[in-house]
Amino acid sequence: LAEDEKGVLWIATDGGLFRFDGTNFQKFGKENGLPSLQVSTVVAGKSGTIWCGTFGGGLCRLEGDRFVVFNRKNGLPDEYVTALVEDYEGNIWVGSIWGGAARFG
C-alpha cells in the first residue's frame, strides 16, 4: 500500500494495481501497459510519481494512465521486483529476487 500527496491509496495486488480515492476503485492492468498483473510493491514518490514493482515484468512508472516499463533491456538487474523505496534525494531503490538492490534515479 502507498498513499500519495493527495490522499489517494494505491494498492499492489496479484490482479494489478488499484487506485482508491476514498470513493471509487480504479484498476490498472495490462490494458494500461502493465507487463505483469502480479504487482508486488508500490511507492508514491515525493514528486507525485507512482512506481510499482512486478513479478516478471520489472519496474513500472505510471504516466497518466499508461506505464513506462524498466526491465533488463534498459538496465534493471532483475525483473522480479520485491521492494521499492524512495530516498531523500528522490532516487528509487529497487530490491529484487535475484538481482539484489539497484538505484534508479
Side-chain angles (χ1 to χ4, degrees):
L1 297 173
E3 185 178 9
D4 68 20
E5 75 280 353
K6 295 177 184 173
V8 173
L9 189 62
W10 295 86
I11 307 159
T13 75
D14 282 343
L17 181 67
F18 288 82
R19 179 185 184 274
F20 181 64
D21 64 7
T23 305
N24 300 303
F25 281 95
Q26 178 181 6
K27 179 184 177 183
F28 294 86
K30 292 197 175 205
E31 63 277 6
N32 304 97
L34 194 63
S36 169
L37 290 180
Q38 292 182 299
V39 181
S40 55
T41 183
V42 60
V43 166
K46 296 176 187 96
S47 66
T49 303
I50 302 301
W51 296 86
C52 67
T54 67
F55 273 26
L59 174 66
C60 304
R61 181 179 66 219
L62 188 60
E63 292 186 4
D65 66 348
R66 302 285 306 163
F67 290 97
V68 175
V69 179
F70 302 94
N71 52 33
R72 287 186 180 169
K73 291 178 184 174
N74 45 22
L76 195 66
D78 183 18
E79 295 173 356
Y80 288 83
V81 177
T82 57
L84 294 175
V85 67
E86 183 181 41
D87 68 20
Y88 67 94
E89 293 179 337
N91 297 303
I92 298 295
W93 287 86
V94 182
S96 62
I97 292 178
W98 295 290
R103 182 175 60 119
F104 227 80

